[in-house]
Amino acid sequence: MTDTTPARLLKLLSLLQTPREWPGGELAERLDVTPRTIRRDIDRLRELGYPVEASRGSAGGYRLVAGAALPPLVLDDEEAVAIAVGLRAGAGHAIEGVDEASVRALAKLEQVLPARLRHRVSSLQNATVPLVRGDGSTIDPRTLTTLASAATGQERLRFAYRSGDGTETRRQVEPYRLVSTGRRWYLVAYDLLREDWRTFRVDRVSEPFATGARFTPRPLPGESGGANGGGAEDAARYFARSMAGRQPELRLDVWFAAPAEFVVARLPPTLGVPEPEPGPDGENPGGENSGNGCRLRSSCTDSLEWVALRLALVDCEFTVQGPPELVEHLERLGARLTRAAGAPR
């Protein structure tokens, strides 16, 4: 093999791990080699133990399938099961820090797991009762992996969707990207029936089905990208714009009696980044750490209840200057907590 062959084989394997069938000509174009070279590389992967199937005919291609045993990855059976269970648990509950990349990894791993290991993963998942937060929604990991695989493979999707008022509809879309907010998953997609872009809450999606029909990604509104554009960043910006138009915006003005680095480590990034700022006349409204505070000025579209909870979880004194509705909510919450603490035992 030449010096470039190992790198090319890794790129080829990465493409084949996307759950779709790749025409030989498309693989050759992606890797800038001849179809004959692709055939030789496929043979090399098979020699290494990767189960690559080929279909005949003018529209034929290659697909990586589950074999009788795991391909020679740097994983044994126990490690593969542990990783699959962990990724399922994280993806299904939208835990902060688990993003689309983790869902894609889960889709790739489950594609090549032998049946006996898939059964073990499902058994462990079904026998486990997760302890989840009350401000998020649980999701079937299979739904996430179906959506992620269709978006990566540029394959049209059909699914049932339940709107916020309970209305049930059937949708056919061109999936663009999954977006995780830390509490929920959303799908950014082009709705073919409505001929417009939409964002769908994944916990309201059911019966997702990849149709097999391929599509060329359209550029998002306000972006020039498409398939080769900003990708995830474009989707995140579009999602933020679309959500801002649906929910009332809260303009936060909060002073914390703690250094900025202390608050940043405990505050969700979606609420913004505080800047160092001492209290008025060198005194802190919280009455401690004089001159060593920070101030958060930002906007968000989260609920009052969730914002109030996250501010309290920073675990330092703080003063809310605005918005007025957040101040009122904190006053009511504080009075309720005071009554609870003073209740007779």
Side-chain angles (χ1 to χ4, degrees), residues 16 26 170 200 232 244 312:
L16 290 174
E26 185 175 351
R170 304 292 300 186
F200 301 95

Side-chain angles (χ1 to χ4, degrees), residues 64-121:
L64 185 66
V65 298
L70 275 174
L73 306 174
V74 191
L75 294 173
D76 59 26
D77 286 4
E78 301 300 327
E79 292 168 337
V81 170
I83 291 173
V85 170
L87 288 173
R88 276 190 172 197
H93 302 293
I95 297 173
E96 289 184 46
V98 179
D99 55 15
E100 184 189 355
S102 297
V103 178
R104 292 200 309 271
L106 176 59
K108 290 179 179 180
L109 180 59
E110 292 196 338
Q111 182 195 4
V112 296
L113 280 178
R116 69 178 191 281
L117 296 188
R118 285 200 297 271
H119 177 71
R120 288 177 59 186
V121 171

Side-chain angles (χ1 to χ4, degrees), residues 2-343:
T2 65
D3 291 340
T4 60
T5 300
R8 190 177 66 245
L9 285 177
L10 288 175
K11 291 179 181 178
L12 175 60
L13 182 59
S14 178
L15 290 172
L16 290 174
Q17 284 177 333
T18 300
R20 57 164 289 191
E21 185 168 304
W22 290 88
E26 185 175 351
L27 289 174
E29 182 179 354
R30 290 268 189 141
L31 300 178
D32 195 25
V33 295
T34 65
R36 183 179 179 183
T37 299
I38 291 296
R39 289 194 295 271
R40 288 201 304 264
D41 287 349
I42 292 293
D43 288 338
R44 291 190 179 100
L45 288 178
R46 288 168 176 162
E47 291 170 2
L48 292 171
Y50 290 94
V52 182
E53 284 187 352
S55 57
R56 298 182 181 277
S58 58
Y62 302 97
R63 179 189 292 269
L64 185 66
V65 298
L70 275 174
L73 306 174
V74 191
L75 294 173
D76 59 26
D77 286 4
E78 301 300 327
E79 292 168 337
V81 170
I83 291 173
V85 170
L87 288 173
R88 276 190 172 197
H93 302 293
I95 297 173
E96 289 184 46
V98 179
D99 55 15
E100 184 189 355
S102 297
V103 178
R104 292 200 309 271
L106 176 59
K108 290 179 179 180
L109 180 59
E110 292 196 338
Q111 182 195 4
V112 296
L113 280 178
R116 69 178 191 281
L117 296 188
R118 285 200 297 271
H119 177 71
R120 288 177 59 186
V121 171
S122 297
S123 297
L124 282 170
Q125 186 82 17
N126 294 334
T128 303
V129 178
L131 181 62
V132 297
R133 301 170 301 178
D135 60 349
S137 303
T138 58
I139 303 168
D140 185 343
R142 289 170 294 186
T143 297
L144 275 175
T145 54
T146 299
L147 301 185
S149 296
T152 303
Q154 299 170 10
E155 188 173 354
R156 288 179 177 174
L157 273 172
R158 288 197 185 101
F159 55 82
Y161 190 70
R162 175 180 52 82
S163 63
D165 61 7
T167 302
E168 298 278 354
T169 56
R170 304 292 300 186
R171 304 297 183 102
Q172 183 172 1
V173 305
E174 294 176 351
Y176 188 82
R177 285 291 192 281
L178 283 167
V179 177
S180 172
T181 66
R183 292 186 297 151
R184 292 192 178 98
W185 285 95
Y186 292 85
L187 174 67
V188 175
Y190 186 84
D191 192 312
L192 294 170
L193 180 61
R194 289 154 180 80
E195 298 183 341
D196 199 3
W197 289 90
R198 292 288 190 272
T199 56
F200 301 95
R201 268 181 52 173
V202 176
D203 58 301
R204 295 176 178 169
V205 170
S206 60
E207 305 172 40
F209 173 73
T211 66
R214 309 294 174 187
F215 66 91
T216 300
R218 310 163 191 259
L220 285 166
E223 305 290 346
S224 59
N228 299 316
E233 293 181 1
D234 287 355
R237 283 193 292 266
Y238 172 79
F239 172 79
R241 291 196 304 269
S242 65
M243 295 303 290
R246 295 183 188 180
Q247 302 180 20
E249 186 178 58
L250 297 177
R251 296 186 177 275
L252 303 179
D253 187 354
V254 185
W255 192 87
F256 296 93
E261 57 270 20
F262 176 91
V263 177
V264 167
R266 292 160 176 78
L267 198 68
T270 53
L271 292 184
V273 179
E275 298 291 338
E277 180 178 313
D281 299 325
E283 296 182 359
N284 288 339
E288 60 182 59
N289 297 331
S290 178
N292 194 24
C294 62
R295 191 162 191 166
L296 173 68
R297 291 187 178 94
S298 65
S299 298
C300 72
T301 56
D302 291 295
S303 66
L304 287 172
E305 295 80 6
W306 187 78
V307 173
L309 174 64
R310 295 311 306 232
L311 293 177
L313 289 176
V314 173
D315 196 25
C316 71
E317 298 289 335
F318 66 94
T319 300
V320 176
Q321 305 294 331
E325 56 266 37
L326 179 57
V327 175
E328 294 173 4
H329 177 77
L330 284 169
E331 289 175 346
R332 293 193 300 270
L333 178 61
R336 189 180 309 128
L337 293 175
T338 299
R339 292 193 299 270

